Every structure is written in structure tokens, then in C-alpha cells.
Amino acid sequence: MDSIAEQQRQAYEDVERMEQAVVDLMLQKLTKHRYRLIREQKISNLLDQIQARSKLITDLDLDESGLRAKEINMMKSGFDSFYAQLDTVRAHHRRNPELSVQPPELDYVKYTRNPEEADEKRRVLEARLRDTSNVDVEVDDAELGTFVDAGDMDKLETMFSGDERFGRYVDLNEQRDQYINLRGTSPISYVEYLDSCMRFGDIPAAAKDTAYGEYVRSLGAYFESYFARAMPLFDLPKAQREANEAFEKEWSERKENDMDVGLFCEPCQRMFEKESTYKAHMSSRKHQKTVERLAKSTSAKSESRLDQAKRLACLEHKVQWYARALGSKLSDTRANVQRRQALTEDERMHELHDMDETEYSDDDAVNDHSYNPLNLPLGWDGKPIPFWLYKLHGLGVTFSCEICGNSVYRGRSAYERHFQEPRHATNMRRLGIPNTRQFHGVASISEALELWARVDSEQKAEDVDKDTFEEYEDAEGNVFSKKTYFDLKRQGLI
């Protein structure tokens, strides 16, 4: 068994070699997405090993067992312990004369080799061998070995779903199915869900029940899993700590009456938006039976509404924190979904075939995105649409709607069409305004309220003056309003 000092020396050497391996990996210029992702995973594993070695060094320095101090005292007494260990090493090699010793630095040579350059060298070498011998040959990978092996590629194939495309996009189809089955929500498309999945305030408070809590937890669990798979170097514990600190600060500034605690029935675990409905429920027989059943059960413990609201709000805040960190991934997913929706079935199959045959290069994607100085919308092929088509549909003019949360619409047709969409109609109902034809084209909240006040006053005036619209004529040909005519007739004057 190695001495304590030798264990520390080996640990320090391993830490230095692994730190150098991390530097070598970071200096490599890789363009292929899969290689870059595998590199991040290798760096994450090396960092974990560095932490483990560092902990070992710290534990040996603390010397809680006292073996290190005892060993140092033996070294001070003379060279007896040194020669004893030397005899042990010599005896070991005499018993195993053919034992091969591999220098430890050879284990880290693979981190200095670029896998893309190795692939190119392998293709050139195989082509030369085929041209000279006209037979299939295998190239020795001893000189071309890199940090990427077959096991890494196989692991990558099973790590992501088809829609995630090896970590380029997110896959929230399962969470969308949970969302549309919640109370207070309506069926929406996947693109609309990607736009609104983080707006938890749009869901009524009365609909935030147990199923809603499971939905939010599912979102958080997926994002945490995605960070571990697609972004191994993302500091998730730090993000969680910052999210919790920010939430505690915001929560301490809230008031209990903002949480609508008074309109929550603890025994029935139900939230009410109107006070009249809440009072009617408290006097109902169903509520009384629930209270009696809970009173008989000694083991029934009901968590306070404030604790439930805080726990749920903390989950929502954490998920929104994750979504901000994945902002580019969510926007790329939305653009990719819209692009694929414009493809035909044959085009989709052709795209999948091309993905299997060729390797995706991030440099190509960067060049495609950078060659769009006018920020034109993408077509079915993932490229910007022609400029003449852009001008034809008037997509250069943008319109914003304050009622829909300052949403921006490109082109007059998309802007006018959104007035008939459920989102705009729902926001109009929240303002207490009917979404009728006369309000189409009004995007400002103040203008909509002002127009509704004028329309409402005119309708009330019409109801009041309705009797003056009808005219009656007596036997002498005199014309009176409806009210005046019947008043005079009751008095017998006509």
C-alpha cells in the first residue's frame, strides 16, 4: 500500500494533468455539434474528478486518523522506513518480471488531438490504401485516437429525443399535453405553447390545483435534465441558489392580501375568485360535511394556504429562471417548429435522411444566420424568404397590441387577424369589454376603455329615451310622444 505522502503526490499529479487536459480540450476548434457536446461532457467529468482528488488531498491534510503524522515521525527517525518500502517494491517486481508499466501521461494524450482532424486524416489514409491495394483495409487508430470513442457516440444517440436533435432544441410536447388538460386553459398549438408556457399569471388562481403543481414540477424536472444532458458545464446549483435567493427577496416584499388567502377554503382545498361565491360555499352542505369529516380524523393535517402558495410560487419562479437561461434554445425551437410545419412529408423524410448521411456543422448554421442582414423571416427551407415577397405581404411594418401584452405582429394581415384570436378576446373580457366588431383596430387599453365608456353611455341613453322615439296621433291630428300620449289619455284630456 502506498504511503500517505505518495497518495498526496499522486493526487496532486492527477489534478495537474486533468487541468491541462481541460485546457487542451478548450483550445480545440470544433465545428461539429456532436463533437462539441461530447467535449463539454468530457470536461464536466474531468472537473468532477478534480473535485474528488482535491477532496482526497484535503482529507489527507486534515489527518483525522493520525497516520500522516505517524508516517512523518518515522521518516524523521532515519531511512529504515524508506528501505523497507524499497524492498517491498523490488519484491513485487521480482514476482512479476513481465509486468508492463504505462506512463500516466499517455492516458491524457488523446485530449490533445482534434477529432475532426483525425477523421480527415483517417479518410485520406483509407483512400490511399484503397487506391494502392484495391481491398478494404482497416486503419490503426493508435495514432488517431481522440477523446471521442464509439461508446460516446452511442450514448449520445440514446440521450436525446428526436425533437431535441442532440441538444439543439427543447422537447416540451409532454408538458404541452399536461397544459391543455389543466383547468382554465384551452387547446393551443405547440408554437403558441412555446410563446406562453412561462406566463403562469395567465392561468386563473382557482385553476392552480394539484394537477397544476405537477405540471410546473414536470417543467422544472425537464429543464434540469436538459441542463445535465445538453449543457453539462452549466452551473445548475448556482442557478438554483440565485433563483431561491431572488424569490425569497420578492416574497418578503409581498403582502398576504395579495395572495387571496381569504378566498381559499382550506378544508375543501378550493380557491374562489369572488367573495359572494366564497360565502355561498362556506354555508353549503358539502363544505359542512367536509369540515365534520376532517374533525373526526385525528391524523388529517391541512397545510396552510400561505405555505402552499409560497411553494408553488417558488416552483414557478425557478422554472422561469431556467427558461431565461434557455432563452436562445426556446427561440431556436420555435423557429424550427415553424419551419418544419411548412415542409411536406417528403421534404421531412428527405431532411431526416440528410441528417443521417451527413454531420451537422455549427459553422454552416452560423453562416446561414449571419447572411440575413435584413432580418427576414425564414421560409420552409430554413433560409430567408425573398425580399419581394417580404415587401408584398408588408412584413416590414410591425404593429403592437397593448391589450395582448405589447405583442408585435408583422404585416397588416397578421395584425388584423389577431383581433379574432382567442388571446385578444380573452384579454378584452378581462378588461370588461365585449370583443365586438367596433373594437377591432383598437390596440391601446386606454383607447379601448374610453371607447367602451362612450358606447356604454350611448346604449344607456338609448334605453332611457326609448319612449320618446315612438309618436302617437290623437283624433284631431295632434302628434305626441308615447309617454305624453298615454298620460293625457289616462287623464281623459284626449
Side-chain angles (χ1 to χ4, degrees), residues 384-436:
I385 64 175
F387 186 72
W388 64 267
L389 186 62
Y390 176 82
K391 297 292 290 184
L392 177 64
H393 292 283
L395 300 180
V397 182
T398 58
F399 301 88
S400 62
C401 180
E402 184 182 5
I403 298 176
C404 296
N406 294 322
S407 298
V408 179
Y409 300 91
R410 281 188 171 188
R412 169 65 66 176
S413 60
Y415 176 69
E416 293 180 351
R417 187 170 58 250
H418 102 279
F419 288 106
Q420 297 288 346
E421 294 177 354
R423 179 182 179 185
H424 185 84
T426 301
N427 293 330
M428 290 287 286
R429 287 196 298 270
R430 290 174 179 173
L431 296 175
I433 304 175
N435 190 30
T436 56

Side-chain angles (χ1 to χ4, degrees), residues 197-227:
C197 62
M198 293 300 112
R199 292 199 293 267
F200 298 117
D202 294 347
I203 300 178
K208 295 185 177 182
D209 49 8
T210 304
Y212 175 78
E214 294 177 355
Y215 160 71
V216 178
R217 278 190 290 271
S218 176
L219 272 175
Y222 173 78
F223 285 148
E224 292 175 358
S225 171
Y226 187 83
F227 283 130

